[in-house]
Amino acid sequence: QKEVEQDPGPLSVPEGAIVSLNCTYSNSAFQYFMWYRQYSRKGPELLMYTYSSGNKEDGRFTAQVDKSSKYISLFIRDSQPSDSATYLCAMSDNQGGKLIFGQGTELSVKP
Amino acid sequence: SAVISQKPSRDICQRGTSLTIQCQVDSQVTMMFWYRQQPGQSLTLIATANQGSEATYESGFVIDKFPISRPNLTFSTLTVSNMSPEDSSIYLCSVEADRPYEQYFGPGTRLTVT
């Protein structure tokens, strides 16, 4: 079993839709939860960062962490074609900055 | 934020040869990381490279196959040795940012081994 599981998609939605992206994990030691966005032929860039459980909102993006269920989510409201990218969840415990990534979900937002 | 460049951006190599990938950062950083991103797979950490010390390799990766150099605080190289088609992948370097557990990534090197 992988430490982090993420549905690879691809996911295609119309412009303006609400998008839900999810990851599950097995390591209860994870404390830091991140969402990275990766455009085609580019390196990943940090989108959202959450420590421990709870919600965090940044504009159209909301990150949720449920440590009791070992489940994290990223919601994108009013999705735009510019949101078309691969979204990777990443997690870490306190071990020297090592990140464990999910497989990534490829999202396409159609105008 | 740090700006990271990688060379080459892509290459096609023959089986049995070696390729050295360069990673240059525009500021001094302590920790640099090398990842592999295989088609349809997650980013997998190969090793962590600190300046002035031996790189620390993750399970499944060995120094003979992926030797790493870290001569100063802005530069690192990863060599993929004795390549096989299974080494075809995107190789990315990253550096630790100011916020804990945030990393800045380079654009990647797309390697195809024939």
Side-chain angles (χ1 to χ4, degrees):
Chain A
Q1 181 189 7
K2 293 182 181 178
E3 278 191 289
V4 180
E5 299 273 4
Q6 183 177 5
D7 185 342
L11 183 62
S12 181
V13 301
E15 183 175 355
I18 297 174
V19 176
S20 173
L21 305 169
N22 311 292
C23 288
T24 59
Y25 63 96
S26 57
N27 188 347
S28 58
F30 288 145
Q31 295 286 335
Y32 300 87
F33 304 91
M34 284 70 67
W35 287 94
Y36 280 79
R37 178 174 61 194
Q38 185 176 23
Y39 290 112
S40 180
R41 300 189 183 276
K42 302 285 187 182
E45 57 179 350
L46 183 68
L47 188 62
M48 298 283 288
Y49 158 74
T50 308
Y51 173 72
S52 194
S53 284
N55 294 356
K56 191 171 187 178
E57 187 172 321
D58 184 1
R60 296 184 294 110
F61 299 89
T62 300
Q64 289 185 352
V65 176
D66 182 349
K67 292 189 69 179
S68 63
S69 301
K70 297 189 177 66
Y71 187 87
I72 72 170
S73 300
L74 177 71
F75 297 96
I76 307 174
R77 292 184 298 280
D78 187 25
S79 56
Q80 302 294 309
S82 59
D83 295 328
S84 298
T86 296
Y87 290 80
L88 302 113
C89 62
M91 307 179 190
S92 182
D93 53 22
N94 283 323
Q95 298 298 320
K98 177 181 175 179
L99 301 182
I100 308 298
F101 283 86
Q103 193 173 353
T105 300
E106 184 181 350
L107 171 67
S108 177
V109 181
K110 303 294 186 184
Chain B
S1 66
V3 177
I4 303 170
S5 60
Q6 286 185 233
K7 290 182 181 179
S9 59
R10 62 191 311 149
D11 207 341
I12 300 173
C13 301
Q14 292 202 340
R15 180 196 300 261
T17 63
S18 298
L19 176 71
T20 295
I21 301 168
Q22 299 179 7
C23 179
Q24 179 76 53
V25 189
D26 69 343
S27 57
Q28 294 185 338
V29 294
T30 302
M31 297 179 73
M32 296 181 77
F33 305 90
W34 285 99
Y35 288 86
R36 182 172 72 183
Q37 188 174 28
Q38 294 180 307
Q41 303 293 318
S42 60
L43 272 77
T44 302
L45 182 64
I46 297 171
T48 302
N50 290 339
Q51 194 269 337
S53 62
E54 294 275 339
T56 302
Y57 289 83
E58 297 298 310
S59 175
F61 298 96
V62 295
I63 188 171
D64 290 345
K65 176 67 175 177
F66 297 102
I68 289 171
S69 76
R70 183 76 201 276
N72 57 51
L73 291 173
T74 64
F75 187 78
S76 179
T77 66
L78 169 76
T79 298
V80 186
S81 303
N82 188 25
M83 288 183 286
S84 66
E86 292 72 34
D87 294 319
S88 297
S89 185
I90 299 172
Y91 292 85
L92 300 112
C93 69
S94 73
V95 303
E96 205 168 48
D98 293 334
R99 288 186 290 181
Y101 305 103
E102 177 180 5
Q103 293 180 13
Y104 298 121
F105 284 83
T109 295
R110 188 176 297 266
L111 170 63
T112 302
V113 183
T114 60

